[in-house]
Structure formats: C-alpha cells, structure tokens
Amino acid sequence: MSPPEKKARTEKYKALYDKDFPPLKNKLIFQVIKGEKIHKVPVWIMRQAGRYLPEYRKGRANNEFFKVCQTPELACEVTLQPIDRYGDLLDASIIFSDIMVVPQAMGLVCEMVPGKGPTFPEPIRKPEDLKRLTDKVNVDDSLGYVFDAITLTRQKLDGRVPLFGFSGGPWTLMAYMIEGSGSKTYSKAKAWLYNHPKDSKVLLQKITDVIIPYLVGQLIQLFESNSGELSPQCFTEFVMPYIIQIVDKVKEKTEALGYNIPVSIFARGSHYAIEELSKTKFDIIQVDWTMDPKKTRETAKAKVLQGNADPSLLYGSKETIYQNVEKMIEGFGVKKYIANLGHGMYPDHDPEHLKYYLEAIRDVSSKKLK
Ligand SMILES: Cc1c2[nH]c(c1CCC(=O)O)Cc1[nH]c(c(CCC(=O)O)c1C)Cc1[nH]c(c(CCC(=O)O)c1C)Cc1[nH]c(c(CCC(=O)O)c1C)C2
C-alpha cells in the first residue's frame, strides 16, 4: 500500500475510532472467565469464517486472500458471515486475517498459493538471512489495516458477540518463515533449534517484539499450531519463555489502559505442556481432539478450557454429533468451559452439520445448567 493510500485509510477510519463501541449484549465468555452463572456453555469455532461457507467462496472468487485481509470492509464482511448465518448459536467472532500477516510486516513476502496454502518465495534459510528482516517494525504502519478491520467490525457487530484478535505464536511463525510453507516434519526449522540455538532465540525475540504491540481485540487467541512438532525440552526452551512474555506484556499493557482482556493459548499437540500452561497468566487453554476432556480437566483444574471435538466429527450424522457433544461436555463439565472444535473447519464441511454441533452444545449444556 502506498503512503497516500495508507493516509487515506487512517483518515477514513478516524471517526470509527473516536466513536464509542456498542455495549456487548452477549458476555457469556467473560462470565465463564469470571466464574459467573451462565445459562449455556459458550461456543465459537476456529476458522468459522472460511471456505466451507458458500457466501465466503462467492466473495473470494473476485478477491485474492491477502487482499481480503488488507481491506477492512472485506475482512469485516467475511468475519460477520458466520455470525449472520448462525445468529445466537455463536458466542464470539474472530477477525478475518491470517497468522502470516506478522512475517509480512517483518519484511518477508508471503503469498497464498491455491492448493498449497501460504508460501514464502524467499524464506529464511541461514542465520545471515535474519539481516533481511525489517529492523524496527512500526506495527501501526504495517498492520494498521488489521486495527482498522477490528474497529470497523466491532462497530458493525453492534455488540452481538465479542471479537477475538489473534496471532500465530513465535515458534509457529518462525517455523513457516524458515520452511517457506507448511511441512510434514518441520525439519528445516527444527534443525535451527539444534544447530543455531542463539540465532533461533534472536528470531523468536524479534517475532515476539512484533506480536506484543500487534495483539488487540476484546479477546485474544495465540496460535502455537506447530508446537506439537517439538520435544518437551524444546517446548520449554523455545516456546514457553516467548509466549509467557507475550501474555504478561499484553496483560500489563491492557490493564494499564483499564481493560481486562482474556488471552487464550492453543499449543496444538503439546499434551505434556498442559500443566505448565495452567500455571501461566493465560485465561483459556484451547485443547485439540487427541486430549481426553476429563483428564485435561483434572490436569488444569482452575483454568478455563476450550475445545475440543475432532473436526471430522462434523462429517457424522446429527445423532452422532449430539452423542459426542454429550460425552465432551460430560468430560469438561459445564463450568470453566468454552466449546470449540479441536482445530479449524475443513473446506468440505457441510455448514448444516456445524449447525447441528452448535445446537447440540446449546441443548446439552443448557439442560445441565438448569
Ligand atoms: C480462511 C483461511 C484462513 N487462512 C487460510 C484460509 C484458506 C485460504 C483461502 O480462502 O483460500 C489459509 C491458510 N493459512 C494457514 C494455512 C495452513 C498452512 C499449512 O500449515 O500448510 C492455510 C491453508 C496458516 C494458518 N493460519 C492460521 C493458523 C493458526 C490456526 C491453525 O492451526 O489452523 C495457521 C497455521 C489462523 C487463521 N487463518 C484464518 C483465520 C481466520 C479467522 C477464523 O478462524 O475464522 C485464522 C484464525 C483464515
């Protein structure tokens, strides 16, 4: 985006920033975190705005993926699609964007290649390549479009549900920046942890320093989606120190402004880390479907847990979905719990089956909460 375009964008949204945000009508997630009485378990879904929705595919036919992310009107429109479709069955929205906007802000080119996903034509290969990264990233300049999209969306939501902001975690972003795309083994990125531990920490810190000023929203989720690739030892050394910095600093910053913003962590695949994570300031721990709800609840007694049905459950019948939801809620319990899937929606999911899942959560949990 050229500087005059950027200025126009900022001017355009100034009035929206100055206007008070509409008060929240649905506060279920905040009530769960505060331990207040609720009438049903709240639910939202990772990738709830996406290719499984015909209205999303229709809009995307004319617009490149990152163009949607970078155009606040389009990002807002797509964010609202599942909220408009499912009405009060959903209890949160999540801003339409991608974790790759942070590496882009750091000066790396990342393109969405059809059939392949996000791809870096010139990934970081050796420690000298770190010099190619922008030295001091001005987050307001380079990611201002996300802030504008968040502001516009909060106005347009009119308080129906709260809005999640999100970021990839430092390790997950480092892994993509070195691999250049998704990978089966993440062996190039993991080789860095063993061969260049110091440079790895320089890179993780650079990413952390961009994430902290970037994270805004009424709720926040940090996606360490690639954490399950690591040994417990590497997790402790290369993930924990950075995600703790992020949650501590984000809390400090927002509390100083008078806000208490709940922060959620999704360390996908890191079973061994649940206990360690339950001792941090994260308010919510999102778990994947390979974790048993009851055992996870026993391990992280005091924390709000979020998850965790296998996304493939949505290929099942209405009855199958209902029975699995009953078991899931039985395991987690109806308190300190936010329902979600164990990972994002798949492009070939039937939107009607997501509705069955959302209805089952409402029906099963409201009976138990009576
Ligand atoms: C809809 C969508 C997104 N990203 C991608 C798509 C499909 C692309 C398309 O429309 O063509 C490509 C897209 N973006 C990414 C991938 C995975 C790449 C790979 O590992 O191979 C793809 C196909 C990278 C990505 N992107 C994201 C993660 C973390 C969560 C997770 O573990 O899935 C990751 C790893 C986060 C993400 N990505 C997105 C959201 C939007 C908000 C919502 O949830 O509704 C979010 C939160 C949006």
Side-chain angles (χ1 to χ4, degrees):
M1 202 185 277
S2 66
E5 274 176 317
K6 236 183 236 171
K7 185 153 183 296
R9 187 204 65 213
T10 309
E11 294 292 316
K12 188 166 168 195
Y13 291 95
K14 192 172 177 305
L16 281 180
Y17 283 97
D18 291 343
K19 214 164 91 184
D20 282 346
F21 288 118
L24 261 185
K25 293 168 203 151
N26 180 336
K27 296 184 185 163
L28 271 177
I29 292 184
F30 298 92
Q31 289 171 305
V32 168
I33 289 161
K34 289 189 202 150
E36 291 174 3
K37 201 170 161 8
I38 46 166
H39 64 281
K40 72 154 220 173
V41 159
V43 59
W44 68 281
I45 302 291
M46 289 186 278
R47 301 236 180 130
Q48 63 189 24
R51 285 173 294 176
Y52 77 100
L53 287 178
E55 54 271 37
Y56 172 83
R57 292 197 297 269
K58 208 168 138 219
R60 268 279 276 118
N62 310 318
N63 294 294
E64 195 274 321
F65 177 82
F66 284 114
K67 185 178 170 220
V68 180
C69 300
Q70 287 160 6
T71 312
E73 285 79 7
L74 295 176
C76 170
E77 185 186 318
V78 175
T79 303
L80 295 180
Q81 284 172 349
I83 305 301
D84 291 339
R85 178 184 270 263
Y86 296 110
D88 58 11
L89 285 171
L90 278 174
D91 300 297
S93 53
I94 177 161
I95 193 68
F96 189 82
S97 182
D98 197 76
I99 62 170
M100 304 308 172
V101 300
V102 166
Q104 286 175 336
M106 295 174 76
L108 287 187
V109 172
C110 177
E111 293 153 358
M112 196 57 76
V113 177
K116 193 171 172 216
T119 305
F120 296 82
E122 291 179 273
I124 299 224
R125 284 284 186 241
K126 33 189 200 316
E128 297 86 84
D129 292 344
L130 294 179
K131 291 195 201 100
R132 284 179 17 223
L133 296 176
T134 307
D135 202 19
K136 284 205 173 73
V137 176
N138 181 331
V139 171
D140 280 328
D141 263 5
S142 53
L143 291 164
Y145 64 86
V146 185
F147 301 154
D148 289 343
I150 287 177
T151 304
L152 178 64
T153 307
R154 276 188 71 184
Q155 298 290 7
K156 286 264 168 80
L157 273 167
D158 196 25
R160 278 180 284 172
V161 287
L163 178 66
F164 267 95
F166 70 91
S167 170
W171 154 248
T172 297
L173 294 179
M174 168 181 168
Y176 283 112
M177 287 158 81
I178 293 176
E179 296 288 338
S181 63
S183 153
K184 274 217 172 86
T185 57
Y186 288 89
S187 52
K188 289 190 189 81
K190 286 172 68 181
W192 265 60
L193 304 183
Y194 293 104
N195 291 326
H196 313 296
K198 278 206 187 116
D199 293 303
S200 294
K201 287 175 189 176
V202 168
L203 176 54
L204 288 164
Q205 190 60 52
K206 272 183 183 288
I207 302 171
T208 302
D209 291 343
V210 180
I211 292 176
I212 294 168
Y214 169 60
L215 276 178
V216 293
Q218 286 166 297
L219 294 152
I220 287 167
Q221 180 149 303
L222 194 60
F223 289 93
E224 256 321 357
S225 304
N226 293 343
S227 72
E229 305 299 328
L230 297 177
S231 68
Q233 209 182 326
C234 280
F235 185 86
T236 304
E237 187 174 353
F238 296 105
V239 175
M240 279 308 268
Y242 302 96
I243 64 174
I244 287 177
Q245 260 188 67
I246 293 171
V247 69
D248 287 357
K249 294 254 172 67
V250 167
K251 291 257 169 199
E252 196 185 293
K253 227 174 57 164
T254 50
E255 277 162 18
L257 293 168
Y259 304 114
N260 182 5
I261 295 182
V263 187
S264 167
I265 176 76
F266 182 27
R268 186 172 161 231
S270 295
H271 305 230
Y272 50 80
I274 295 292
E275 202 178 339
E276 216 177 331
L277 287 172
S278 69
K279 293 177 190 146
T280 62
K281 287 194 186 155
F282 285 105
D283 302 272
I284 306 170
I285 303 177
Q286 160 76 40
V287 292
D288 66 47
W289 69 91
T290 63
M291 299 190 207
D292 178 64
K294 194 156 172 267
K295 285 191 194 138
T296 314
R297 168 56 72 213
E298 281 161 11
T299 313
K301 280 190 197 67
K303 280 284 173 194
V304 173
L305 295 172
Q306 182 175 282
N308 81 332
D310 182 348
S312 296
L313 170 64
L314 300 190
Y315 297 123
S317 66
K318 192 172 181 176
E319 291 70 33
T320 305
I321 292 173
Y322 192 90
Q323 286 159 7
N324 278 268
V325 165
E326 278 183 315
K327 280 189 224 143
M328 177 175 78
I329 294 184
E330 188 67 45
F332 283 115
V334 284
K335 291 191 182 145
K336 295 186 189 237
Y337 173 54
I338 298 164
N340 202 313
L341 291 174
H343 201 193
M345 294 293 289
Y346 299 150
D348 64 346
H349 273 144
D350 179 341
E352 273 305 290
H353 284 226
L354 174 57
K355 193 164 164 218
Y356 300 152
Y357 184 67
L358 301 175
E359 285 170 343
I361 285 152
R362 177 195 61 197
D363 296 348
V364 172
S365 69
S366 56
K367 261 189 223 145
K368 283 185 184 282
L369 282 159
K370 259 202 188 121

